[in-house]
């Protein structure tokens, strides 16, 4: 059985940076916390926990020590809260997310009503939205954009992992809603590149494994995209979830991983597949 | 034979204002000129000429008197030229065109490369473009937009008579060309409203007359739109061009007119049709 690993599997730039900063802080020791999970990988969060880093939902109970801002960013008032306390802050917000936050703040200040193209439930979007000081709306598709009121000046930014097609559709609707539209395309193409590569891979293998947190939106989407082309697609978090029966009659297996999946989790899955194959041959 | 006149036939806001200003200046007397034809109606230009108002291509030969800036606007340097001479200036530029000119100047100043959605040959576009102090491009369709270079900050304005669909298509392409796009929708809906009404009318009559200058882009487009629905569509400038044969077997005739067509030209055509019918009954 041939195992093909996607070139773009695993950590994107922002996640790599955030994880590096978090482990660095953990190694320095002392009271260390993250505001929310550092990235959407339960295994990485657990490893940090084992090193003494606690993920807390807010800064209320923290009196001293180091606080790490997760890759998705946090709400403006949470950062303010952390700053008014006697805490050392390690800002691991993805620089691309930071840009979107800054643009929202700037647009609000310049008198624009802001439209964020993204998923209201996602922490990144909740963080971005919090930087608006005027009106702000979140829309995830054309239909939701149609319900926006008429506005004079509209500023548009996007969740970094949104699809370019959705941004275009929302912008087209915004052109009908206002006479001045100012768009910052804050989409990071890591997501699109990863998806394109996974689709190409799914098209030439018999079975596909997508590794990543079940709470990771980009991993779930990656699995969906592959499953559309190849029903024998499995979304797993760890090597222990690999089922040997998946490989019956399989000649080629493809492996990819979400942007928040560490290399060691991918390596463990690759090893597990090799092991399963060896066992079958016996 | 029933004659149905479109409600929106004839002068739009900007043309009405420009014509009013021009005739007012003509009545005051003295040396009076227009920079280019005041509007795209040869008959209105001729009437002004009879009142002593000359249309000149530039201010070079004018030493004194009043200069009227036409509804489509002129290039920034032409206006500057007029101002440095001892001339009284009557600015009959359509306020909607003026807005587009101002936005281009502002975008250039703010460091945007400017994309004007419009027809390079049209005097309005040539005027608007001249207000750019940085890079500026004119595109009339999606295909032309595809050839634009990659830019960092893109400012977009439209010729006031462009279709909204074309603006949307160009904006979609611009989203692929740069990371910040700032759009001022400077389209005046008079053109769209007139076209929609003309289409509805063409759908329920046997013959359609579209009155307006053969040099008027919006009249030509109006005639095209009607002809697509009703081949028996005729574009005329004056009543004398009406051919009695057009009405053979016609029960209903529709009449509309471009944005630069004066009421008296429309009235003359309506009279002429009534006259033709009367003659036929004899």
């Amino acid at each position: 059985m041939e195992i093909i690993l996607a070139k773009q599997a695993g950590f994107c730039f922002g996640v790599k940076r955030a994880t590096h900063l978090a482990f660095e802080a953990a190694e320095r020791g002392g009271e260390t916390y993250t505001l929310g999970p550092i990235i959407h990988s339960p295994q990485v969060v657990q490893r940090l926990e084992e090193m003494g880093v606690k993920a807390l939902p807010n800064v209320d109970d923290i009196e001293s020590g180091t606080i790490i801002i997760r890759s998705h960013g946090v709400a403006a008032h949470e950062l303010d809260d952390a700053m008014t306390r006697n805490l050392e802050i390690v800002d691991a917000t993805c620089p691309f997310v930071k840009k979107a936050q800054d643009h929202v703040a700037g647009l609000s200040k310049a008198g624009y009503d802001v439209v964020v193209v993204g998923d209201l439930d996602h922490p990144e979007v909740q963080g971005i939205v919090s930087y608006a000081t005027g009106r702000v709306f979140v829309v995830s598709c054309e239909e939701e954009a149609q319900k926006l009121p008429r506005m004079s000046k509209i500023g548009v930014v996007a969740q970094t992992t949104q699809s370019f097609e959705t941004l275009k559709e929302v912008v087209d609707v915004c052109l009908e809603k206002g006479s001045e539209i100012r768009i910052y395309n804050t989409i990071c193409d890591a997501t699109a590149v990863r998806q394109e590569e996974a689709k190409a891979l799914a098209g030439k293998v018999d079975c596909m494994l997508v590794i990543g947190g079940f709470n990771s939106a980009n991993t779930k989407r990656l699995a969906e995209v592959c499953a559309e082309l190849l029903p024998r697609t499995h979304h797993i978090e760890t090597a222990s979830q690999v089922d040997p029966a998946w490989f019956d009659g399989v000649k080629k297996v493809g492996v990819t991983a979400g942007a928040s999946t560490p290399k060691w989790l991918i390596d463990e899955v690759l090893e597990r597949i090799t092991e399963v194959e060896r066992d079958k041959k016996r």
Side-chain angles (χ1 to χ4, degrees), chain A:
Chain A
M1 189 169 69
E2 190 186 349
I3 307 168
I4 309 172
L5 176 65
K7 279 200 197 83
Q8 301 294 329
F11 281 4
C12 65
F13 167 75
V15 168
K16 197 178 279 176
R17 179 176 168 274
T19 312
H20 178 74
L21 287 170
F23 279 100
E24 211 175 49
E27 277 162 18
R28 278 201 300 274
E31 274 182 84
T32 309
Y33 307 91
T34 67
L35 258 189
I38 180 81
I39 59 171
H40 274 159
S41 165
Q43 290 72 33
V44 168
V45 170
Q46 192 191 333
R47 205 164 256 205
L48 282 167
E49 238 171 59
E50 287 160 9
M51 292 173 78
V53 179
K54 287 191 199 100
L56 293 178
N58 56 60
V59 292
D60 292 354
D61 301 324
I62 314 174
E63 292 304 329
S64 61
T66 299
I67 183 96
I68 308 166
I69 307 297
R70 65 180 166 198
S71 60
H72 292 126
V74 294
H77 69 87
E78 291 178 278
L79 196 57
D80 291 346
D81 262 18
M83 287 202 276
T84 55
R85 287 158 190 260
N86 193 22
L87 302 173
E88 191 190 332
I89 297 172
V90 173
D91 193 350
T93 307
C94 166
F96 297 125
V97 174
K98 198 90 193 161
K99 248 188 187 173
Q101 294 173 344
D102 290 346
H103 287 316
V104 167
L107 285 166
S108 267
K109 208 175 160 191
Y112 291 82
D113 289 320
V114 176
V115 172
V116 179
V117 185
D119 300 311
L120 188 57
D121 295 335
H122 199 283
E124 177 189 325
V125 173
Q126 289 162 359
I128 291 173
V129 160
S130 72
Y131 282 79
T133 47
R135 277 208 294 185
V136 59
F137 305 88
V138 176
V139 296
S140 66
C141 60
E142 191 181 342
E143 291 67 40
E144 287 179 24
Q146 291 288 5
K147 291 175 195 151
L148 289 169
R150 275 204 65 80
M151 292 172 267
S152 160
K153 293 166 72 177
I154 308 178
V156 181
V157 304
Q159 183 179 358
T160 56
T161 50
Q162 279 294 297
S163 86
F164 186 57
E165 274 315 304
T166 307
L167 173 63
K168 283 209 278 195
E169 283 167 16
V170 171
V171 165
D172 279 359
V173 176
C174 286
L175 281 170
E176 290 169 21
K177 300 287 183 181
S179 57
E180 185 190 339
I181 324 288
R182 191 164 173 180
I183 308 137
Y184 291 99
N185 180 354
T186 48
I187 293 173
C188 164
D189 68 358
T191 307
V193 167
R194 197 177 311 264
Q195 281 177 12
E196 284 315 303
E197 202 198 356
K199 275 199 267 184
L201 187 53
K204 59 183 185 188
V205 297
D206 315 301
C207 173
M208 191 79 196
L209 298 192
V210 181
I211 316 164
F214 293 136
N215 59 344
S216 154
N218 86 79
T219 308
K220 278 192 278 185
R221 185 74 197 120
L222 202 55
E224 280 165 17
V225 161
C226 292
E228 278 165 24
L229 289 166
L230 185 71
R232 286 178 84 162
T233 294
H234 307 281
H235 176 180
I236 55 172
E237 271 193 359
T238 63
S240 66
Q241 291 156 0
V242 172
D243 180 347
W246 290 343
F247 308 114
D248 289 346
V250 165
K251 286 208 178 91
K252 286 182 182 177
V253 57
V255 177
T256 187
S260 45
T261 309
K263 192 172 174 300
W264 50 271
L265 276 182
I266 302 172
D267 288 343
E268 282 176 10
V269 170
L270 294 176
E271 266 172 53
R272 178 71 188 130
I273 302 173
T274 314
E275 200 177 79
V276 165
E277 217 197 353
R278 205 171 43 225
D279 288 350
K280 282 199 177 176
K281 280 187 184 152
R282 273 179 196 159

